[in-house]
């Protein structure tokens, strides 16, 4: 699934242990937000983009996290 792939990416980046002095963890991490839907004729692409954006910001608030809507 997309969430599983995103989680593998998150873990892989963290495992690299790239130093980042300004990060709370001391290393580079990623925050990933994703959204998916099964489209209907009434759906608008903006709704999907808005959901993905919200998921990203939810992840960024906690840092080093995957959020899916």
């Amino acid at each position: 699934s997309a969430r599983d792939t995103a989680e593998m990416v998150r873990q892989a980046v963290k495992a690299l242990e790239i130093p980042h002095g300004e990060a709370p963890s001391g290393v580079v991490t990623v925050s990933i937000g994703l959204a998916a839907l099964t489209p209907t004729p009434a759906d608008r692409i903006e709704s999907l983009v808005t959901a993905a954006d919200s998921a990203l910001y939810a992840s960024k608030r906690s840092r080093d996290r995957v959020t899916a809507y």
Side-chain angles (χ1 to χ4, degrees), residues 8 11-13 19 23 28 31 33-34 37-38 48 56-58 60 62 68:
M8 287 188 325
Q11 290 178 21
V13 169
V28 172
S31 301
L34 58 106
L37 63 82
T38 302
L48 181 59
L56 174 59
Y57 280 94
K60 290 178 95 170
S62 296

Side-chain angles (χ1 to χ4, degrees), residues 26-49:
V27 297
V28 172
T29 62
V30 294
S31 301
I32 302 171
L34 58 106
L37 63 82
T38 302
T40 68
D43 288 322
R44 296 181 50 98
I45 189 68
E46 292 84 0
S47 299
L48 181 59
V49 172

Side-chain angles (χ1 to χ4, degrees), residues 46-68:
E46 292 84 0
S47 299
L48 181 59
V49 172
T50 297
D53 191 55
S54 294
L56 174 59
Y57 280 94
S59 285
K60 290 178 95 170
R61 281 191 295 275
S62 296
R63 296 182 183 246
D64 190 30
R65 177 177 149 182
V66 173
T67 302

